[in-house]
Amino acid sequence: MNENAGIKSEKDREPMYIRILAKIEKAGNRLPDPVVLFAFLCVLLLIISYFTAGASVVHPGTGETITAVNLLTIANLQKILINFPSNFLGFAPLGAVLTIMLGCGLAEKSGWLTSMVRLAGARASGRTVTVIVVFAGIMANQAGDAGWIVLPPLAALLFLSVGRNPLVGIFAAYASVSTGMAANLLIYMSDVLAGTFTISAAQSIDPGFSGNIAMNYYFLIVSTFILLFTGVITTDKIVEPRLGEYKGDVRLEHDANLAPEEKKGIKWAGVCFIAICLAIVALCIGPDAFLADPETGSIMSNNSPLMKGIISIVTIMFFVPAVVYGRVAGTIKSSKDIVNMLIAAMKDMGGYIVLVFVSAQFTSWFSQSNLAPLTANTVARLLC
């Protein structure tokens, strides 16, 4: 008789949701690169446009009849061939993201944002360590990928320093950095990317639509505090108790390991950042405020210089303090260092640029085929 009969394997004893997530992860890992996916969608779009050519719907807002266009005609194929460069260069997210990376990229490469994460962790103590780690993780998307690299090991040391399980610190840091990509108290590159993509998609249906990258700002702020609350509760009430009582007898004296010049750099960069914020506020005040809409006087209007120039403003808010930090901390010794850091930041955007080239073609072709309003109208009717 088999001694192992009736004994479930380790895999069978796993909860159902774990097995489901494992299958989803396995399927997701088999997907090709996003660039390849967009290329496939471009080919699929051409085929669909051929079979849907002539189909039409009436636009509910304008009463205009919208007819699907066959992209595989000789004239449209010639147009596609000619417009490859213009589709790429005219893609709104490209210029916006690359511009803001001049500021955020320098802030990361100079060490300013990484030092801020380390400093935040060094201020943690006792039970407040969870709040500090989760909040730092949510805000860490300002530091790009540095949040995933710097915060988890630092969080482990912080939890160990107060006699708590270091694994809990790693879990809390990684989870907060991951979930915090869609929340922050400041506008960042991911918001620029999402906003410009959303605006472009909306304009493919309604060319007159206008928006700005700060349109989700209230959602970002509220999400920050919701994620902070849920992250702390999940860590302290669910994750840590499941790991059992920590019996380790090692307690470390946590230290951010920040050199005096780094601390000084953070201080003066902070002063510079606050000064820029105050200057922006000052430019928003008054009947003829520099950043207000000249027609309505509103600073929140889509036509106001504040909203239209938000990308440039955010770039300056990160660029200038990063230079100040680098000069004081010693990471920037000359203008050549600034240029080299900017080049390094742009090198990190290589994959994004390739993706944009393909997705820009798809977006343009989709708009040219009239399938965007046709699909939207059809789906709306089905939902009604």
Side-chain angles (χ1 to χ4, degrees):
M1 184 175 179
N2 190 349
E3 295 180 358
N4 294 326
I7 300 179
K8 292 184 177 180
S9 66
E10 190 69 26
K11 187 175 181 180
D12 292 334
R13 289 198 298 267
E14 290 180 343
M16 178 63 72
Y17 74 92
I18 293 294
R19 282 180 280 169
I20 294 175
L21 290 176
K23 291 181 179 180
I24 294 175
E25 179 183 6
K26 187 176 181 180
N29 290 336
R30 291 179 177 176
L31 289 174
D33 189 90
V35 174
V36 178
L37 285 176
F38 268 106
F40 171 76
L41 289 174
C42 286
V43 175
L44 183 62
L45 177 61
L46 293 175
I47 297 173
I48 293 176
S49 73
Y50 175 81
F51 288 102
T52 58
S56 62
V57 294
V58 177
H59 194 291
T62 63
E64 176 188 1
T65 299
I66 302 172
T67 305
V69 176
N70 179 13
L71 297 178
L72 291 178
T73 63
I74 293 178
N76 284 327
L77 286 175
Q78 290 173 337
K79 186 176 181 180
I80 287 174
L81 182 64
I82 294 172
N83 290 338
F84 264 110
S86 59
N87 291 341
F88 176 52
L89 296 177
F91 196 55
L94 177 64
V97 171
L98 293 184
T99 299
I100 206 168
M101 268 304 294
L102 293 175
C104 296
L106 184 63
E108 179 186 354
K109 299 300 180 182
S110 67
W112 176 39
L113 295 180
T114 303
S115 296
M116 289 291 290
V117 172
R118 291 162 57 198
L119 180 63
R123 299 295 176 88
S125 62
R127 303 304 297 184
T128 63
V129 69
T130 307
V131 178
I132 298 296
V133 167
V134 173
F135 182 73
I138 295 172
M139 297 294 293
N141 65 34
Q142 298 288 349
D145 294 337
W148 277 293
I149 299 171
V150 175
L151 196 56
L154 177 60
L157 292 176
L158 292 173
F159 271 68
L160 189 60
S161 70
V162 294
R164 298 175 64 183
N165 193 326
L167 288 176
V168 178
I170 293 176
F171 298 155
Y174 188 84
S176 58
V177 171
S178 301
T179 57
M181 296 304 292
N184 210 283
L185 297 181
L186 298 172
I187 294 174
Y188 184 58
M189 185 181 67
S190 59
D191 306 309
V192 177
L193 180 61
T196 48
F197 266 111
T198 301
I199 294 170
S200 297
Q203 288 175 343
S204 67
I205 299 176
D206 180 8
F209 177 82
S210 63
N212 58 75
I213 65 170
M215 57 189 174
N216 289 328
Y217 192 39
Y218 297 123
F219 175 81
L220 296 176
I221 296 176
V222 174
S223 296
T224 298
F225 293 102
I226 292 177
L227 289 175
L228 176 61
F229 175 78
T230 55
V232 172
I233 295 299
T234 302
T235 300
D236 289 348
K237 303 299 182 182
I238 300 176
V239 176
E240 191 167 23
R242 284 177 64 87
L243 295 179
E245 182 182 357
Y246 179 62
K247 300 183 183 297
D249 56 358
V250 178
R251 292 176 65 90
L252 300 179
E253 291 298 326
H254 57 79
D255 183 7
N257 294 319
L258 290 173
E261 57 269 21
E262 290 178 309
K263 295 179 180 178
K264 188 176 180 181
I266 291 175
K267 173 184 175 181
W268 285 107
V271 170
C272 180
F273 185 83
I274 294 174
I276 293 175
C277 291
L278 292 176
I280 293 172
V281 172
L283 293 174
C284 293
I285 299 175
D288 297 316
F290 179 77
L291 294 178
D293 187 333
E295 295 184 2
T296 65
S298 172
I299 62 173
M300 300 304 292
S301 166
N302 288 330
N303 293 321
S304 70
L306 176 65
M307 292 294 102
K308 283 189 171 182
I310 191 68
I311 293 174
S312 302
I313 291 172
V314 173
T315 300
I316 294 171
M317 289 176 67
F318 282 95
F319 188 93
V320 178
V323 172
V324 172
Y325 171 87
R327 292 292 294 176
V328 176
T331 58
I332 296 177
K333 295 181 173 59
S334 68
S335 59
K336 292 182 179 180
D337 292 330
I338 298 177
V339 174
N340 289 333
M341 289 178 182
L342 292 175
I343 292 174
M346 288 303 165
K347 284 182 179 179
D348 295 339
M349 300 301 294
Y352 169 75
I353 293 174
V354 174
L355 174 62
V356 163
F357 177 81
V358 183
S359 59
Q361 308 308 321
F362 173 78
T363 303
S364 176
W365 299 358
F366 194 48
S367 176
Q368 183 181 338
S369 69
N370 277 343
L371 287 176
L374 192 74
T375 303
N377 193 285
T378 302
V379 173
R381 287 186 175 184
L382 290 176
L383 292 176
C384 294

